Amino acid sequence: MDEIRGDTFAEGSSTLPIDKTLPSLEHQPPRPTSPTLCSTEHNFLESPTDPSPGGIAAQLRRFCSYSRTMQASHLMERYTALVKEDPHMYRAAESLLSTLSYLATNRVPIEIIELLYMSSNLLRYVNDRILSGKGSSSDRDELEADRDRLEQMLQVLQCVEVFVELSARRLGGSPLKWLVVAALAAVKISIRLCLIYQHNRILIGSFGMNDAPKGWVGPRSGIFFKQSHPNSNIPYHIPNKDLVLAELCYTLRPIIHLTALGLFKSKSWIPFTLALGLDVFSLKSLQKIQHPTDRQTNELSRRKLALLLYLFRSPFYNQITEHRLTPFLDYVSRIPIVGLFTDGITDYLPDWQKIYSYVWGS
């Protein structure tokens, strides 16, 4: 029979210490557990015994959302690299979408035409920011980054406002259309007021005039090199009260016109005259600005050119322009090849004239 004496174990002729062969449970190291998602640094999943209701489901949703965010970030980085490597190809894609929108006139619904045109504008906006190096804000202070975000919001609204207006008209008719138009005007005015009073900005540009980067593309490498202008980095000076008042007149003109339009209807000359007076006063005052930057000069030229839109704004268009323009387009349409373009203009002009964001947008 085996005997146990003290701390030894006797079996036959061999004697072994217990602490070398049978380690005590108190001295055993903790048993390693298999790694789980709850131990990762992102802590996407909680323990299976998480008592909170829907804990695992909520963490799974956050994990899927994080995965989509990372995937979108990777795709954006890849797209940025491709645009910088071959900007000509992506400029061609912009032109293709824009050309398709013109060729589709009178062949598909106007909402599809504006969807193509909006896509072209958004693509051009994204590519311009990539090539101009505005996508990164790591080297800018908080105030400059905030101003850039406000300008981005304004430019994106200008890209999509026509399509949003047409979609609202399609879904809810005229009441929803005017509600959306007023909401867009209010948002744009709020952004412009923030830029005026918080960032001392006047002659706030519109998309398509001031954001295309200047430079050249290397003939061998195909890399886009930005070209700096000696006047491009001049800081904005705090404008005086007259310039601020002039910019306010331009900024508030859409909401003043919409209010007058609701009170006096579209056939009245009062909304038209109010808007024209505000634009003329604003332009005359803003011409006094000293040492304007390139962006301000371009925006001032754009606003002067935009005065031609008053020829197509009611009631001037309905009572004067239409009676003279229609016979001219009919005459020109008889000319070979030229008639292909004038026919499209003749057919599209009545629909275009009814789009508030085109005719009265700012």
Side-chain angles (χ1 to χ4, degrees):
M1 180 178 179
D2 299 336
E3 294 180 0
I4 302 177
R5 295 185 180 88
D7 58 348
T8 61
F9 173 69
E11 182 179 3
S13 59
S14 63
T15 302
L16 298 175
I18 292 178
D19 57 353
K20 293 183 179 181
T21 57
L22 299 175
S24 175
L25 293 176
E26 302 85 41
H27 299 88
Q28 289 186 3
R31 184 177 181 182
T33 59
S34 58
T36 60
L37 287 174
C38 63
S39 62
T40 59
E41 58 179 349
H42 298 295
N43 194 23
F44 292 121
L45 293 178
E46 297 175 353
S47 172
T49 59
D50 179 23
S52 60
I56 296 179
Q59 294 295 334
L60 277 172
R61 286 194 296 269
R62 284 198 288 270
F63 174 75
C64 295
S65 176
Y66 177 82
S67 300
R68 288 193 296 266
T69 302
M70 292 298 294
Q71 186 178 9
S73 176
H74 175 72
L75 289 175
M76 190 60 194
E77 291 176 0
R78 179 60 179 162
Y79 179 78
T80 300
L82 291 174
V83 170
K84 290 181 177 180
E85 290 174 3
D86 190 2
H88 290 301
M89 182 177 70
Y90 294 91
R91 293 300 187 195
E94 301 167 16
S95 301
L96 176 62
L97 287 173
S98 180
T99 303
L100 286 176
S101 68
Y102 290 114
L103 294 177
T105 304
N106 300 322
R107 294 176 176 84
V108 297
I110 190 172
E111 291 82 6
I112 303 300
I113 297 173
E114 292 303 329
L115 178 61
L116 291 172
Y117 191 67
M118 179 192 70
S119 302
S120 171
N121 283 338
L122 287 175
L123 184 63
R124 179 158 57 96
Y125 167 73
V126 172
N127 292 344
D128 285 348
R129 290 191 62 83
I130 290 174
L131 293 175
S132 62
K134 292 183 179 179
S136 174
S137 59
S138 58
D139 57 343
R140 297 176 299 171
D141 57 22
E142 184 177 352
L143 185 64
E144 186 179 355
D146 181 57
R147 184 185 66 228
D148 187 60
R149 283 191 292 268
L150 289 173
E151 291 179 345
Q152 287 184 56
M153 292 171 59
L154 184 61
Q155 290 166 349
V156 170
L157 282 175
Q158 290 169 343
C159 287
V160 305
E161 61 181 347
V162 174
F163 178 73
V164 172
E165 177 187 338
L166 290 175
S167 301
R169 188 180 68 180
R170 170 74 68 173
L171 294 175
S174 183
L176 183 59
K177 168 199 166 179
W178 289 113
L179 181 63
V180 169
V181 167
L184 288 173
V187 173
K188 290 166 63 178
I189 288 173
S190 301
I191 295 174
R192 288 179 180 271
L193 290 177
C194 289
L195 289 171
I196 293 172
Y197 286 106
Q198 293 184 4
H199 302 280
N200 298 316
R201 290 283 186 171
I202 60 172
L203 282 169
I204 302 166
S206 296
F207 172 73
M209 287 296 296
N210 306 317
D211 297 278
K214 298 179 179 180
W216 58 283
V217 178
R220 296 184 180 180
S221 64
I223 299 176
F224 182 86
F225 297 93
K226 289 187 294 182
Q227 176 185 358
S228 60
H229 191 276
N231 217 18
S232 60
N233 295 320
I234 296 177
Y236 279 78
H237 299 285
I238 298 177
N240 57 42
K241 293 182 179 180
D242 292 337
L243 296 178
V244 171
L245 178 61
E247 187 67 15
L248 279 177
C249 288
Y250 179 81
T251 299
L252 298 176
R253 189 262 297 163
I255 204 69
I256 293 174
H257 175 261
L258 280 172
T259 304
L261 201 62
L263 294 175
F264 302 102
K265 305 307 177 183
S266 60
K267 294 183 179 181
S268 173
W269 283 89
I270 295 178
F272 180 91
T273 307
L274 278 174
L276 180 59
L278 289 171
D279 277 343
V280 171
F281 171 78
S282 175
L283 280 173
K284 187 175 181 180
S285 300
L286 289 172
Q287 286 179 338
K288 300 176 183 178
I289 186 172
Q290 297 180 354
H291 308 295
T293 63
D294 289 342
R295 294 187 61 178
Q296 291 175 334
T297 302
N298 291 336
E299 175 61 15
L300 193 59
S301 300
R302 187 197 68 83
R303 293 186 187 183
K304 291 178 181 178
L305 189 63
L307 289 177
L308 294 175
L309 286 175
Y310 278 93
L311 297 175
F312 299 93
R313 293 171 175 173
S314 299
F316 191 92
Y317 174 80
N318 304 97
Q319 299 185 21
I320 300 175
T321 306
E322 186 177 15
H323 300 296
R324 290 164 173 78
L325 182 62
T326 303
F328 172 76
L329 291 177
D330 291 340
Y331 176 77
V332 175
S333 63
R334 303 171 187 173
I335 303 174
I337 300 178
V338 179
L340 296 176
F341 299 96
T342 56
D343 289 342
I345 294 174
T346 303
D347 295 335
Y348 184 69
L349 191 57
D351 291 328
W352 179 86
Q353 202 268 336
K354 295 176 183 177
I355 302 174
Y356 186 87
S357 299
Y358 267 148
V359 183
W360 287 98
S362 60

Short mmCIF file of all heavy atoms in Angstrom, two decimals, residues 158-208:
data_model
loop_
_atom_site.label_atom_id
_atom_site.label_comp_id
_atom_site.label_asym_id
_atom_site.label_seq_id
_atom_site.Cartn_x
_atom_site.Cartn_y
_atom_site.Cartn_z
N GLN A 158 -25.34 75.67 -53.95
CA GLN A 158 -25.48 76.24 -55.29
C GLN A 158 -25.43 75.15 -56.36
O GLN A 158 -26.02 75.32 -57.43
CB GLN A 158 -24.39 77.27 -55.51
CG GLN A 158 -24.57 78.54 -54.69
CD GLN A 158 -23.36 79.44 -54.71
OE1 GLN A 158 -22.26 79.02 -55.06
NE2 GLN A 158 -23.54 80.69 -54.33
N CYS A 159 -24.75 74.06 -56.08
CA CYS A 159 -24.69 72.96 -57.05
C CYS A 159 -26.00 72.18 -57.12
O CYS A 159 -26.38 71.72 -58.20
CB CYS A 159 -23.55 72.00 -56.68
SG CYS A 159 -21.88 72.63 -56.98
N VAL A 160 -26.69 72.03 -55.99
CA VAL A 160 -27.83 71.11 -55.94
C VAL A 160 -29.18 71.82 -55.91
O VAL A 160 -30.21 71.15 -56.01
CB VAL A 160 -27.71 70.18 -54.71
CG1 VAL A 160 -26.37 69.46 -54.70
CG2 VAL A 160 -27.87 70.96 -53.40
N GLU A 161 -29.20 73.15 -55.77
CA GLU A 161 -30.47 73.83 -55.52
C GLU A 161 -31.47 73.67 -56.66
O GLU A 161 -32.67 73.53 -56.42
CB GLU A 161 -30.23 75.32 -55.22
CG GLU A 161 -29.57 76.09 -56.34
CD GLU A 161 -29.34 77.54 -55.96
OE1 GLU A 161 -29.91 78.00 -54.95
OE2 GLU A 161 -28.58 78.24 -56.68
N VAL A 162 -31.01 73.66 -57.92
CA VAL A 162 -31.93 73.53 -59.04
C VAL A 162 -32.59 72.15 -59.04
O VAL A 162 -33.82 72.03 -59.19
CB VAL A 162 -31.20 73.78 -60.37
CG1 VAL A 162 -32.13 73.51 -61.55
CG2 VAL A 162 -30.69 75.21 -60.44
N PHE A 163 -31.79 71.12 -58.84
CA PHE A 163 -32.34 69.76 -58.82
C PHE A 163 -33.30 69.58 -57.64
O PHE A 163 -34.35 68.94 -57.78
CB PHE A 163 -31.22 68.75 -58.75
CG PHE A 163 -31.68 67.32 -58.68
CD1 PHE A 163 -32.21 66.70 -59.80
CD2 PHE A 163 -31.61 66.61 -57.49
CE1 PHE A 163 -32.66 65.39 -59.74
CE2 PHE A 163 -32.06 65.30 -57.42
CZ PHE A 163 -32.58 64.67 -58.55
N VAL A 164 -32.96 70.15 -56.48
CA VAL A 164 -33.84 70.04 -55.32
C VAL A 164 -35.16 70.76 -55.59
O VAL A 164 -36.24 70.26 -55.23
CB VAL A 164 -33.14 70.62 -54.08
CG1 VAL A 164 -34.10 70.70 -52.89
CG2 VAL A 164 -31.92 69.77 -53.71
N GLU A 165 -35.10 71.93 -56.21
CA GLU A 165 -36.32 72.65 -56.53
C GLU A 165 -37.21 71.87 -57.50
O GLU A 165 -38.44 71.76 -57.29
CB GLU A 165 -35.97 74.02 -57.14
CG GLU A 165 -37.18 74.81 -57.58
CD GLU A 165 -36.82 76.07 -58.35
OE1 GLU A 165 -35.68 76.56 -58.18
OE2 GLU A 165 -37.67 76.58 -59.10
N LEU A 166 -36.62 71.30 -58.54
CA LEU A 166 -37.40 70.53 -59.50
C LEU A 166 -37.98 69.27 -58.87
O LEU A 166 -39.11 68.88 -59.18
CB LEU A 166 -36.52 70.17 -60.70
CG LEU A 166 -36.12 71.33 -61.62
CD1 LEU A 166 -35.15 70.85 -62.68
CD2 LEU A 166 -37.35 71.96 -62.25
N SER A 167 -37.21 68.63 -58.00
CA SER A 167 -37.72 67.43 -57.32
C SER A 167 -38.89 67.78 -56.41
O SER A 167 -39.87 67.02 -56.33
CB SER A 167 -36.59 66.78 -56.51
OG SER A 167 -35.51 66.41 -57.34
N ALA A 168 -38.80 68.92 -55.72
CA ALA A 168 -39.91 69.34 -54.85
C ALA A 168 -41.16 69.65 -55.68
O ALA A 168 -42.27 69.30 -55.28
CB ALA A 168 -39.48 70.58 -54.05
N ARG A 169 -40.97 70.27 -56.83
CA ARG A 169 -42.11 70.56 -57.70
C ARG A 169 -42.75 69.28 -58.21
O ARG A 169 -43.97 69.16 -58.32
CB ARG A 169 -41.68 71.44 -58.87
CG ARG A 169 -42.83 71.95 -59.73
CD ARG A 169 -42.33 72.81 -60.87
NE ARG A 169 -41.59 72.04 -61.87
CZ ARG A 169 -41.04 72.57 -62.96
NH1 ARG A 169 -41.15 73.87 -63.18
NH2 ARG A 169 -40.37 71.82 -63.81
N ARG A 170 -41.92 68.28 -58.52
CA ARG A 170 -42.43 67.00 -59.01
C ARG A 170 -43.19 66.26 -57.91
O ARG A 170 -44.23 65.63 -58.17
CB ARG A 170 -41.26 66.16 -59.52
CG ARG A 170 -41.58 64.71 -59.84
CD ARG A 170 -42.37 64.57 -61.12
NE ARG A 170 -41.57 64.93 -62.28
CZ ARG A 170 -41.99 64.75 -63.54
NH1 ARG A 170 -43.21 64.26 -63.77
NH2 ARG A 170 -41.23 65.12 -64.55
N LEU A 171 -42.71 66.34 -56.68
CA LEU A 171 -43.30 65.56 -55.59
C LEU A 171 -44.51 66.24 -54.97
O LEU A 171 -45.49 65.58 -54.63
CB LEU A 171 -42.26 65.30 -54.51
CG LEU A 171 -41.07 64.41 -54.91
CD1 LEU A 171 -40.05 64.35 -53.78
CD2 LEU A 171 -41.54 63.02 -55.27
N GLY A 172 -44.44 67.57 -54.80
CA GLY A 172 -45.50 68.26 -54.07
C GLY A 172 -46.15 69.41 -54.78
O GLY A 172 -46.94 70.14 -54.17
N GLY A 173 -45.79 69.62 -56.04
CA GLY A 173 -46.40 70.70 -56.78
C GLY A 173 -45.84 72.06 -56.40
O GLY A 173 -44.79 72.18 -55.75
N SER A 174 -46.57 73.09 -56.76
CA SER A 174 -46.10 74.46 -56.55
C SER A 174 -45.94 74.83 -55.07
O SER A 174 -44.96 75.50 -54.71
CB SER A 174 -47.06 75.45 -57.23
OG SER A 174 -46.60 76.77 -57.10
N PRO A 175 -46.85 74.42 -54.16
CA PRO A 175 -46.66 74.79 -52.74
C PRO A 175 -45.34 74.27 -52.16
O PRO A 175 -44.61 75.01 -51.49
CB PRO A 175 -47.87 74.16 -52.04
CG PRO A 175 -48.91 74.05 -53.10
CD PRO A 175 -48.15 73.74 -54.36
N LEU A 176 -45.02 73.00 -52.41
CA LEU A 176 -43.77 72.44 -51.89
C LEU A 176 -42.56 73.09 -52.57
O LEU A 176 -41.53 73.32 -51.92
CB LEU A 176 -43.75 70.93 -52.11
CG LEU A 176 -42.51 70.20 -51.55
CD1 LEU A 176 -42.39 70.42 -50.05
CD2 LEU A 176 -42.56 68.71 -51.89
N LYS A 177 -42.70 73.40 -53.83
CA LYS A 177 -41.59 74.06 -54.54
C LYS A 177 -41.22 75.38 -53.89
O LYS A 177 -40.04 75.64 -53.59
CB LYS A 177 -41.97 74.29 -56.00
CG LYS A 177 -41.01 75.22 -56.73
CD LYS A 177 -41.61 75.80 -58.00
CE LYS A 177 -40.79 76.97 -58.51
NZ LYS A 177 -41.33 77.54 -59.75
N TRP A 178 -42.21 76.23 -53.63
CA TRP A 178 -41.93 77.54 -53.04
C TRP A 178 -41.45 77.42 -51.60
O TRP A 178 -40.64 78.24 -51.14
CB TRP A 178 -43.15 78.43 -53.14
CG TRP A 178 -43.43 78.88 -54.54
CD1 TRP A 178 -44.50 78.54 -55.32
CD2 TRP A 178 -42.61 79.74 -55.34
NE1 TRP A 178 -44.40 79.12 -56.55
CE2 TRP A 178 -43.24 79.87 -56.59
CE3 TRP A 178 -41.40 80.40 -55.12
CZ2 TRP A 178 -42.72 80.63 -57.62
CZ3 TRP A 178 -40.87 81.17 -56.15
CH2 TRP A 178 -41.52 81.28 -57.37
N LEU A 179 -41.92 76.40 -50.90
CA LEU A 179 -41.43 76.17 -49.54
C LEU A 179 -39.95 75.81 -49.56
O LEU A 179 -39.15 76.32 -48.76
CB LEU A 179 -42.25 75.06 -48.87
CG LEU A 179 -41.87 74.71 -47.43
CD1 LEU A 179 -42.10 75.92 -46.52
CD2 LEU A 179 -42.66 73.50 -46.93
N VAL A 180 -39.56 74.93 -50.49
CA VAL A 180 -38.16 74.53 -50.61
C VAL A 180 -37.30 75.70 -51.07
O VAL A 180 -36.18 75.91 -50.57
CB VAL A 180 -38.05 73.33 -51.57
CG1 VAL A 180 -36.58 73.06 -51.93
CG2 VAL A 180 -38.66 72.09 -50.94
N VAL A 181 -37.81 76.48 -52.03
CA VAL A 181 -37.05 77.65 -52.51
C VAL A 181 -36.80 78.62 -51.37
O VAL A 181 -35.67 79.14 -51.20
CB VAL A 181 -37.82 78.34 -53.66
CG1 VAL A 181 -37.23 79.71 -53.94
CG2 VAL A 181 -37.77 77.49 -54.92
N ALA A 182 -37.81 78.88 -50.55
CA ALA A 182 -37.64 79.79 -49.42
C ALA A 182 -36.66 79.23 -48.39
O ALA A 182 -35.85 79.97 -47.82
CB ALA A 182 -39.00 80.07 -48.77
N ALA A 183 -36.74 77.91 -48.14
CA ALA A 183 -35.81 77.30 -47.18
C ALA A 183 -34.37 77.38 -47.67
O ALA A 183 -33.45 77.69 -46.89
CB ALA A 183 -36.22 75.85 -46.94
N LEU A 184 -34.15 77.10 -48.95
CA LEU A 184 -32.79 77.20 -49.51
C LEU A 184 -32.27 78.62 -49.43
O LEU A 184 -31.09 78.86 -49.09
CB LEU A 184 -32.79 76.71 -50.96
CG LEU A 184 -32.95 75.20 -51.18
CD1 LEU A 184 -33.11 74.90 -52.67
CD2 LEU A 184 -31.76 74.45 -50.63
N ALA A 185 -33.13 79.59 -49.75
CA ALA A 185 -32.71 80.99 -49.68
C ALA A 185 -32.35 81.39 -48.25
O ALA A 185 -31.36 82.10 -48.02
CB ALA A 185 -33.83 81.89 -50.22
N ALA A 186 -33.12 80.91 -47.28
CA ALA A 186 -32.85 81.24 -45.88
C ALA A 186 -31.52 80.65 -45.42
O ALA A 186 -30.74 81.30 -44.71
CB ALA A 186 -33.99 80.73 -44.99
N VAL A 187 -31.25 79.41 -45.82
CA VAL A 187 -29.97 78.77 -45.43
C VAL A 187 -28.80 79.51 -46.06
O VAL A 187 -27.78 79.78 -45.40
CB VAL A 187 -29.98 77.29 -45.84
CG1 VAL A 187 -28.61 76.66 -45.60
CG2 VAL A 187 -31.04 76.53 -45.05
N LYS A 188 -28.91 79.83 -47.34
CA LYS A 188 -27.81 80.54 -48.01
C LYS A 188 -27.58 81.92 -47.40
O LYS A 188 -26.43 82.36 -47.25
CB LYS A 188 -28.11 80.65 -49.51
CG LYS A 188 -28.03 79.33 -50.25
CD LYS A 188 -28.66 79.39 -51.63
CE LYS A 188 -27.96 80.37 -52.52
NZ LYS A 188 -28.54 80.39 -53.88
N ILE A 189 -28.67 82.61 -47.06
CA ILE A 189 -28.53 83.92 -46.43
C ILE A 189 -27.83 83.79 -45.08
O ILE A 189 -26.96 84.60 -44.72
CB ILE A 189 -29.90 84.59 -46.29
CG1 ILE A 189 -30.41 85.04 -47.67
CG2 ILE A 189 -29.85 85.77 -45.33
CD1 ILE A 189 -31.83 85.56 -47.65
N SER A 190 -28.21 82.77 -44.30
CA SER A 190 -27.58 82.57 -42.99
C SER A 190 -26.08 82.33 -43.13
O SER A 190 -25.28 82.88 -42.36
CB SER A 190 -28.24 81.38 -42.27
OG SER A 190 -29.62 81.59 -42.10
N ILE A 191 -25.69 81.53 -44.11
CA ILE A 191 -24.27 81.27 -44.32
C ILE A 191 -23.55 82.54 -44.73
O ILE A 191 -22.45 82.85 -44.22
CB ILE A 191 -24.09 80.17 -45.38
CG1 ILE A 191 -24.66 78.85 -44.88
CG2 ILE A 191 -22.62 80.00 -45.75
CD1 ILE A 191 -24.67 77.74 -45.92
N ARG A 192 -24.14 83.30 -45.64
CA ARG A 192 -23.50 84.54 -46.08
C ARG A 192 -23.39 85.55 -44.94
O ARG A 192 -22.38 86.26 -44.83
CB ARG A 192 -24.29 85.14 -47.25
CG ARG A 192 -24.15 84.36 -48.56
CD ARG A 192 -24.99 85.00 -49.66
NE ARG A 192 -24.87 84.28 -50.92
CZ ARG A 192 -23.94 84.54 -51.84
NH1 ARG A 192 -23.05 85.50 -51.62
NH2 ARG A 192 -23.89 83.85 -52.96
N LEU A 193 -24.39 85.63 -44.08
CA LEU A 193 -24.32 86.55 -42.95
C LEU A 193 -23.21 86.15 -41.99
O LEU A 193 -22.51 87.02 -41.44
CB LEU A 193 -25.67 86.59 -42.22
CG LEU A 193 -26.82 87.27 -42.96
CD1 LEU A 193 -28.10 87.17 -42.17
CD2 LEU A 193 -26.49 88.74 -43.25
N CYS A 194 -23.03 84.85 -41.78
CA CYS A 194 -21.92 84.39 -40.94
C CYS A 194 -20.58 84.78 -41.56
O CYS A 194 -19.65 85.20 -40.85
CB CYS A 194 -21.99 82.88 -40.75
SG CYS A 194 -23.33 82.32 -39.69
N LEU A 195 -20.46 84.64 -42.87
CA LEU A 195 -19.21 85.00 -43.53
C LEU A 195 -18.96 86.50 -43.48
O LEU A 195 -17.81 86.95 -43.39
CB LEU A 195 -19.24 84.52 -44.99
CG LEU A 195 -19.15 83.01 -45.20
CD1 LEU A 195 -19.42 82.66 -46.66
CD2 LEU A 195 -17.78 82.48 -44.79
N ILE A 196 -20.03 87.29 -43.52
CA ILE A 196 -19.88 88.75 -43.49
C ILE A 196 -19.46 89.22 -42.10
O ILE A 196 -18.49 89.98 -41.94
CB ILE A 196 -21.18 89.44 -43.93
CG1 ILE A 196 -21.45 89.17 -45.42
CG2 ILE A 196 -21.10 90.95 -43.68
CD1 ILE A 196 -22.81 89.65 -45.89
N TYR A 197 -20.19 88.78 -41.05
CA TYR A 197 -19.99 89.35 -39.72
C TYR A 197 -18.94 88.61 -38.90
O TYR A 197 -18.28 89.23 -38.07
CB TYR A 197 -21.34 89.36 -38.96
CG TYR A 197 -22.27 90.43 -39.46
CD1 TYR A 197 -23.36 90.12 -40.25
CD2 TYR A 197 -22.04 91.77 -39.15
CE1 TYR A 197 -24.21 91.11 -40.72
CE2 TYR A 197 -22.88 92.77 -39.62
CZ TYR A 197 -23.97 92.43 -40.39
OH TYR A 197 -24.81 93.42 -40.86
N GLN A 198 -18.78 87.31 -39.11
CA GLN A 198 -17.80 86.57 -38.32
C GLN A 198 -16.43 86.50 -39.00
O GLN A 198 -15.42 86.35 -38.32
CB GLN A 198 -18.31 85.15 -38.04
CG GLN A 198 -19.51 85.11 -37.13
CD GLN A 198 -19.93 83.69 -36.79
OE1 GLN A 198 -19.27 82.71 -37.17
NE2 GLN A 198 -21.03 83.55 -36.07
N HIS A 199 -16.43 86.59 -40.34
CA HIS A 199 -15.17 86.43 -41.06
C HIS A 199 -14.83 87.62 -41.95
O HIS A 199 -13.89 87.55 -42.73
CB HIS A 199 -15.22 85.15 -41.92
CG HIS A 199 -15.48 83.91 -41.11
ND1 HIS A 199 -14.50 83.28 -40.40
CD2 HIS A 199 -16.62 83.20 -40.89
CE1 HIS A 199 -15.01 82.22 -39.79
NE2 HIS A 199 -16.30 82.16 -40.07
N ASN A 200 -15.61 88.70 -41.84
CA ASN A 200 -15.33 89.94 -42.58
C ASN A 200 -15.20 89.70 -44.09
O ASN A 200 -14.32 90.26 -44.75
CB ASN A 200 -14.04 90.59 -42.06
CG ASN A 200 -14.14 90.99 -40.61
OD1 ASN A 200 -15.15 91.55 -40.19
ND2 ASN A 200 -13.12 90.68 -39.83
N ARG A 201 -16.08 88.88 -44.63
CA ARG A 201 -16.05 88.57 -46.06
C ARG A 201 -17.08 89.39 -46.80
O ARG A 201 -18.24 89.49 -46.38
CB ARG A 201 -16.34 87.08 -46.29
CG ARG A 201 -15.24 86.16 -45.84
CD ARG A 201 -14.11 86.16 -46.83
NE ARG A 201 -13.10 85.17 -46.48
CZ ARG A 201 -12.10 84.84 -47.25
NH1 ARG A 201 -11.97 85.42 -48.43
NH2 ARG A 201 -11.21 83.95 -46.88
N ILE A 202 -16.66 89.97 -47.91
CA ILE A 202 -17.59 90.60 -48.84
C ILE A 202 -17.27 90.06 -50.24
O ILE A 202 -16.23 89.44 -50.45
CB ILE A 202 -17.50 92.13 -48.82
CG1 ILE A 202 -16.09 92.58 -49.21
CG2 ILE A 202 -17.92 92.69 -47.48
CD1 ILE A 202 -15.97 94.08 -49.40
N LEU A 203 -18.19 90.31 -51.16
CA LEU A 203 -18.07 89.73 -52.51
C LEU A 203 -17.84 88.23 -52.43
O LEU A 203 -16.89 87.68 -52.97
CB LEU A 203 -16.94 90.41 -53.29
CG LEU A 203 -17.28 91.79 -53.86
CD1 LEU A 203 -16.02 92.48 -54.35
CD2 LEU A 203 -18.28 91.67 -54.99
N ILE A 204 -18.73 87.58 -51.68
CA ILE A 204 -18.64 86.13 -51.49
C ILE A 204 -18.97 85.46 -52.81
O ILE A 204 -20.03 85.68 -53.39
CB ILE A 204 -19.60 85.67 -50.39
CG1 ILE A 204 -19.27 86.41 -49.08
CG2 ILE A 204 -19.53 84.17 -50.19
CD1 ILE A 204 -20.34 86.30 -48.03
N GLY A 205 -18.06 84.65 -53.30
CA GLY A 205 -18.16 84.10 -54.64
C GLY A 205 -19.19 83.01 -54.76
O GLY A 205 -19.63 82.40 -53.79
N SER A 206 -19.58 82.75 -55.99
CA SER A 206 -20.46 81.65 -56.34
C SER A 206 -19.65 80.54 -56.98
O SER A 206 -18.56 80.76 -57.51
CB SER A 206 -21.57 82.10 -57.30
OG SER A 206 -22.41 83.04 -56.67
N PHE A 207 -20.19 79.35 -56.95
CA PHE A 207 -19.48 78.20 -57.51
C PHE A 207 -19.30 78.38 -59.00
O PHE A 207 -20.19 78.82 -59.71
CB PHE A 207 -20.27 76.92 -57.25
CG PHE A 207 -19.70 75.73 -57.94
CD1 PHE A 207 -18.53 75.15 -57.48
CD2 PHE A 207 -20.30 75.19 -59.06
CE1 PHE A 207 -18.00 74.05 -58.11
CE2 PHE A 207 -19.78 74.10 -59.70
CZ PHE A 207 -18.62 73.52 -59.21
N GLY A 208 -18.11 78.02 -59.48
CA GLY A 208 -17.83 78.04 -60.90
C GLY A 208 -17.02 79.23 -61.35
O GLY A 208 -16.54 79.27 -62.47
#
